[in-house]
Every structure is written in C-alpha cells, then in structure tokens.
Amino acid sequence: MSSSSQVPSQIFDAIIIGAGAAGLFCAARAGQQGLKVLLIDHASKVAEKIRISGGGRCNFTNRDLDVRAPHKHFVGQNPQFCRSALSRFTPADFIALMDKHGIAHHEKHKGQLFADRSAEDIIAMLLAECSAGGVQHWQPCQVKKITFSASTPDESSANSYQIETDRGLVEARNLVIATGGLSIPKIGATDFGYRLAQQFDLPLIERAPGLVPMTFDGDGWQPYAGLSGLALPVEISTGSKKERVAFHEDLLFTHRGLSGPAVLQISSYWKPGTPLQVNLLPGVDLLEVLTQAKLNSRKLVANELAAHLPARLADAWVSRMPELQRPINEASDKALTKLAEQLSRWEITPTGTEGYKKAEVTLGGVDTKVLSQQTMECKIQPGLYFIGEVVDITGWLGGYNFQWAWASAAACAQAM
Ligand code: FDA
C-alpha cells in the first residue's frame, strides 16, 4: 500500500469505522483505556439497528449463552472462534453495564433480555460511555480511501493507516472495521467492510441473508397462500440426517411464504434447493388422536383437527384431500394415517428468501482464519481489526448477535 501525499490533519490512537453496536462499544472501551479515538459513520444517526431491534426494545443479550460451546448458538465456518471473546465479556458483563446506567430490563423467552422502556436507552448508554472515554464522533462522514504505510521516510507514520474522508485526512496505527453486514440497506448497511478486506487481500466467506423470512411460489403453495397472519408452535428442521438442525419455535404464515422465529432460525442453516421439514403438531400423537376420534365422534375431520391446530389451517389442509371431507367416523384408516403423517412431517422447499431487505443478519463475512480470536486483529495486516457482524460469525435469533458485537468489541479494545 502506498502512503498518502496529504498531511494528516489529526493523528489518533484508533480510528473506528461504523458507529453501530460493535463500533460504539469498542470506541467507549478504548477511549476509557486512555486512547485517543475517532469514531466515523456515514449515516447521520448512530446505531440504527439497535434502534429498530427487538421491536424497539432491543434484545441486547441472552442469558442461555453457553460460552464453552459457542457452536450451539453461533453459525460460521468456525464458531469456536468466538469462544475467547465471549468468555471474556459475558452476558453478565453487559447486564452489569445496563444496571450501572439504571436501565431496567426483563427476560422474555429462552433467556432473551430486552430493555423495559426503549432501545433508545441502550443507545444513550453507549453514547454516554463514549463521552466518558472522550471519543470524537464524525458523522455523517464518508470514507473515501484507506491506505497503509508500512514505512515512511521519517518513520513517524510507519505502520499507520491514512484515512481520507470528506472531513479531511486522519491517521492511526489501529484501524477497526465495524461496518456490519448487508441487511437493511435502507438504514445504512453497505459492503464497506468486505471491500476493505479485499483491498488487503483477506479471504471472505460467501455472504447470504440470515434470520430471514422464506418465500414459496408455484401451485404447491396455493393452498397456504390464504393463511397469512396465522401462527403456531412447530418443530422445524433442515439438513441431512447426520447434520440435521431443528428448532422448536413459532411459525408464521405470510403473504409470500413463512416467517416467525422458527423460520428465521432455520434460515441461517438452510441450503438453497433443499427442503425444510415441519412438524405442525409437535408433542402430539395425531394418529392416536384421530383413531380415538373415529371411534367416538361424528364431527367433520376438519373440525376434529381444529381442536389441535388453528381452524384456518385445518380447513386449508383438509380442502386438498376429498377423502377427508366427511365425518371422521366415515374416513378411512388409510386417509387418517396419511393426514397424520403429512402434518407431522410437512416437507416444503423454499423458492428463496426475502433477501437483505428483510434479513436480520448477514451470514459469512471476513474469514476468521485470518483474525486473532483473542484480539480480532488481522494476522497478516498489523493494526487492522474486524469486529461484529462483518466477521464470519452469526448468532441465533435471541440477543446472540448483539452479545457477539459487545464481546468482539471488548476483545479488540483491550488489545489496542
Ligand atoms: P451494525 O449494523 O450495528 O453497525 C454498522 C454501522 O456501520 C452502521 O452504523 C452503519 O451506518 C455503518 N456503516 C456501514 N457502512 C459504512 C460506510 N461505508 N462508512 C461508514 N459507516 C458505515 N440482534 C440481536 O442480538 N438482538 C436483536 O433484537 C436484534 N434485532 C434485529 C432486528 C433487525 C430488524 C435487524 C436488521 C437486526 C437485528 N439484530 C438483532 C442483529 C443486530 O442488529 C446486528 O447483528 C448488530 O447490529 C451488528 O452490530 P455491528 O456493530 O457489527 O453492525
């Protein structure tokens, strides 16, 4: 990399690009350690994703995180990579920070913690922590070019990054990339981090939308197209027998397909062209239930089914099967067996996903092979760090992605 010919207007100890969850937290910690920190974002508002997360209350961490087994809650080529950072900055550490700022919070479902009042309280807390560390903020501010000088004639700028922005040229020995993933471009997501990685010849793992609703089309989807808004608890799974992944969560029918926590979770494991298996009645032996009903009831099959499933779904299902459009005592054993099998193993192949405009996260990113798991520093490019979602580490739904942002930020700040 060549050095820039312009004279830097200011020299910092660390420049952090991206004032989202990871960037703000890293800036605050580094500033409080005594470093002179500049935080740059191209958007006029910081932390837009925190603002819209968790329905406006930000699911900021998860108590169930098992730091000894990160593969349970994180996806990537090497989920073990996040173990060191996650064990040094835990959910309890972030909860302690919330408590220090008097931000009330509550647990909802499966260890998920939310702010009682608003995600804005968490943003205000992070900004207050940045102020306490004397962090300078530049936003909106466009980064035009980044160069690295391995050596300079007087050595004063050796091993430094020169960052050309629309507010002037700045320099630092530590450059932290916290520009996140590609999801929700309309609130400022860009591919900046990936492009910068390519500039320094760092390998990338292919990106794809994660935690995303799935779409279905064609005649096969017709019977379900009218079920939009309907939700029910299911067991959903994907993958071959050996590497099968399953979730017990709620599924939601949408205009274009399926969503809800069950589908968002499984979407991070789904491979295009492969099917999903859905048990619409987990924990119920439907064949036994239907066999008993056949002996004791004269209700229509759809009405019997509606005792266990939402009525609209029961109707839609039975409407495809003429042999079941009758009282249950007149239905054949064969037809009832087929019905029970179908509902406990509904196999459907998504056409695709709703893409980055609806995805909560981006799978893939900077390959963890080139990063230090202790510091997030690039092994082949001194002083260059990647933190948060830009790295090939993706958490489950439920506060895991923010915990990764906090923990990777803390590990990086400690190292600078
Ligand atoms: P983040 O996206 O937060 O920040 C990146 C920053 O970089 C942004 O401020 C952006 O403007 C800036 N930037 C981008 N390009 C730039 C450029 N070229 N120049 C300068 N700046 C640039 N997770 C969770 O754990 N619990 C939850 O409740 C939710 N809920 C949720 C809802 C929705 C709708 C979405 C989209 C996502 C979530 N998430 C979540 C995921 C979570 O928001 C996400 O994983 C973290 O915000 C990632 O933090 P980062 O700091 O890495 O990126």
Side-chain angles (χ1 to χ4, degrees), residues 8 13 35 39 59 188 235 254 314 319-320 351:
D13 295 317
L35 299 191
L39 179 60
N59 177 193
E235 183 195 79
T254 67
S319 72
R320 298 178 309 136
T351 320

Side-chain angles (χ1 to χ4, degrees), residues 6-18:
Q6 277 178 272
V7 178
S9 54
Q10 285 188 70
I11 297 177
F12 293 85
D13 295 317
I15 295 176
I16 300 171
I17 304 179

Side-chain angles (χ1 to χ4, degrees), residues 17-24 40-43 45-50 52-55 57-61 114 141-143 178-181 183-184 187-193 195 211 358-361 387-390 396-403 405:
I17 304 179
L24 279 167
I40 295 177
D41 202 293
H42 69 153
K45 273 177 150 179
V46 293
E48 278 292 63
K49 284 202 185 147
I50 298 182
I52 61 169
S53 67
R57 292 216 164 90
C58 185
N59 177 193
F60 60 86
T61 192
F114 290 78
C141 174
Q142 297 292 334
V143 174
T179 45
S183 48
I184 326 275
I187 59 165
T190 71
D191 63 352
F192 181 94
R195 277 190 286 115
L211 300 179
K358 291 272 174 71
E360 287 203 7
V361 288
I387 58 172
E389 199 180 314
V390 71
W396 280 14
L397 191 75
Y400 295 99
N401 284 296
F402 280 133
Q403 187 58 37

Side-chain angles (χ1 to χ4, degrees), residues 50-370:
I50 298 182
R51 194 167 278 112
I52 61 169
S53 67
R57 292 216 164 90
C58 185
N59 177 193
F60 60 86
T61 192
N62 195 302
R63 271 195 218 277
D64 292 349
L65 180 112
D66 181 353
V67 292
R68 286 157 312 168
H71 62 277
K72 279 193 199 163
H73 296 125
F74 291 88
V75 189
Q77 298 285 307
N78 177 21
Q80 288 299 330
F81 174 84
C82 53
R83 186 174 166 160
S84 169
L86 289 172
S87 56
R88 285 181 292 138
F89 188 86
T90 65
D93 293 321
F94 199 80
I95 295 166
L97 186 65
M98 296 276 287
D99 293 342
K100 183 181 122 191
H101 285 259
I103 302 175
H105 48 85
H106 59 280
E107 185 170 332
K108 259 195 178 165
H109 168 68
K110 297 191 174 174
Q112 301 168 5
L113 294 184
F114 290 78
D116 281 2
R117 206 189 68 85
S118 166
E120 295 286 356
D121 293 341
I122 297 178
I123 299 173
M125 172 184 87
L126 293 170
L127 289 171
E129 289 285 315
C130 282
S131 296
V135 173
Q136 281 194 47
H137 298 255
W138 282 5
Q139 60 188 98
C141 174
Q142 297 292 334
V143 174
K144 295 181 184 163
K145 190 175 171 194
I146 296 181
T147 50
F148 175 69
S149 311
S151 63
T152 52
D154 65 355
E155 290 299 314
S156 64
S157 292
N159 289 325
S160 288
Y161 293 87
Q162 287 78 39
I163 293 125
E164 226 176 289
T165 78
D166 58 6
R167 297 196 189 191
L169 185 69
V170 280
E171 182 178 299
R173 281 177 192 249
N174 295 299
L175 173 62
V176 182
I177 305 304
T179 45
L182 298 168
S183 48
I184 326 275
K186 73 169 189 243
I187 59 165
T190 71
D191 63 352
F192 181 94
Y194 311 124
R195 277 190 286 115
L196 191 83
Q198 282 169 329
Q199 179 187 330
F200 287 98
D201 291 329
L202 307 179
L204 292 173
I205 302 299
E206 198 180 334
R207 274 79 62 216
L211 300 179
V212 64
M214 308 192 93
T215 54
F216 298 82
D217 53 28
D219 292 346
W221 188 249
Q222 256 339 93
Y224 316 106
L227 296 174
S228 175
L230 190 148
L232 74 163
V234 302
E235 183 195 79
I236 194 163
S237 60
T238 194
S240 64
K241 231 181 187 173
K242 227 171 101 195
E243 46 187 36
R244 185 172 168 271
V245 182
F247 291 94
H248 285 87
E249 287 284 3
D250 282 358
L251 172 140
L252 172 71
F253 285 83
T254 67
H255 288 296
R256 285 166 43 87
L258 295 174
S259 186
V263 170
L264 299 184
Q265 295 281 40
I266 208 77
S267 72
S268 295
Y269 292 89
W270 177 70
K271 302 271 177 292
T274 64
L276 303 175
Q277 291 81 34
V278 186
N279 182 349
L280 292 159
L281 280 158
V284 176
D285 184 345
L286 187 61
L287 184 57
E288 173 62 19
V289 166
L290 295 174
T291 307
Q292 284 304 318
K294 182 176 162 150
L295 296 175
N296 304 313
S297 165
R298 291 180 183 177
K299 281 190 197 165
L300 290 172
V301 172
N303 292 347
E304 277 298 337
L305 208 49
H308 304 277
L309 278 179
R312 277 164 68 207
L313 179 58
D315 283 343
W317 210 278
V318 171
S319 72
R320 298 178 309 136
M321 304 172 84
E323 67 276 26
L324 289 173
Q325 289 160 22
R326 63 195 69 221
I328 194 160
N329 60 327
E330 293 172 19
S332 70
D333 289 348
K334 193 174 157 203
L336 292 178
T337 304
K338 185 172 157 197
L339 177 66
E341 278 172 6
Q342 283 186 349
L343 286 166
S344 61
R345 200 182 153 85
W346 183 31
E347 189 156 292
I348 35 167
T349 301
T351 320
T353 73
E354 293 275 10
Y356 290 116
K357 69 179 191 307
K358 291 272 174 71
E360 287 203 7
V361 288
T362 302
L363 299 163
V366 177
D367 193 336
T368 55
K369 268 193 205 132
V370 287

